[in-house]
Amino acid sequence: MPGLVAALRETARSIAESDGIAVVLRDGDFCHYVAEDAIRPLWRGRRFRLEACISGWVMLNRQMAVIHDIEADTRLPVAAYQSASMRSLVMMPIGSPEPSAALGAYWSAWVELDDGTIGRLQALADMATETMVRLQAADYAVVPREPALSA
């Protein structure tokens, strides 16, 4: 998982041509902002209730959020974004069948996000989902076996 988080952090910002990205992991009833790459610090290391932030919303609803104007969207705690100087965002759920992570891209200006940018981020989130599924399958495959009986 740390390798996946690092790859997302290192790749997403250039793919989206954004001012910042965040990688968020679900931790019970909370979202944990575990990694970011941004023009200034965002929320790395902080935890928020799933119901209190957009990353939690995308995980709970299993769908992306495309927000052109952060101040106009009721799913967001506007004050948190004003202090970060972010105005537009895209947040993608990661994981299947239940999302257990999210990838967010942020812009400091109000941006009309085009299909190409959204498509590139969706493709990255889809690849991350496939990787997570494989990692989870590998964890389940490592089951201790009974020693073989000799005759």
Side-chain angles (χ1 to χ4, degrees):
M1 186 61 79
L4 175 60
V5 168
L8 288 170
R9 185 186 58 75
E10 293 168 6
T11 308
R13 189 170 171 199
S14 63
I15 285 175
E17 298 177 355
S18 64
D19 296 317
I21 64 97
V23 180
V24 187
L25 298 179
R26 184 171 184 166
D27 183 13
D29 292 334
F30 292 86
C31 295
H32 183 201
Y33 282 71
V34 296
E36 65 186 32
D37 178 7
I39 56 176
R40 67 172 70 171
L42 295 170
W43 304 279
R44 184 171 178 251
R46 295 189 58 196
R47 295 175 194 276
F48 300 93
R49 293 204 57 80
L50 288 170
E51 301 82 12
C53 65
I54 196 64
S55 56
W57 186 92
V58 303
M59 285 187 250
L60 292 171
N61 290 280
R62 298 182 193 126
Q63 64 184 23
M64 81 171 84
V66 178
I67 301 172
H68 303 288
D69 182 357
I70 286 170
E71 294 178 2
D73 196 292
T74 59
R75 298 172 289 184
L76 298 163
V78 175
Y81 286 89
Q82 287 173 335
S83 65
S85 301
M86 296 300 170
R87 301 293 172 250
S88 298
L89 72 85
V90 173
M91 186 70 67
M92 304 282 178
I94 298 173
S96 179
E98 293 290 324
S100 57
L103 173 64
Y106 304 89
W107 291 264
S108 57
W110 287 280
V111 176
E112 287 295 324
L113 297 161
D114 61 89
D115 291 341
T117 300
I118 294 168
R120 288 188 300 275
L121 285 168
Q122 184 64 61
L124 185 59
D126 291 346
M127 286 188 282
T129 293
E130 291 174 23
T131 301
M132 286 182 76
V133 167
R134 279 187 262 134
L135 288 171
Q136 291 167 348
D139 285 345
Y140 290 122
V142 181
V143 176
R145 296 182 184 195
E146 295 292 324
L149 298 175
S150 56

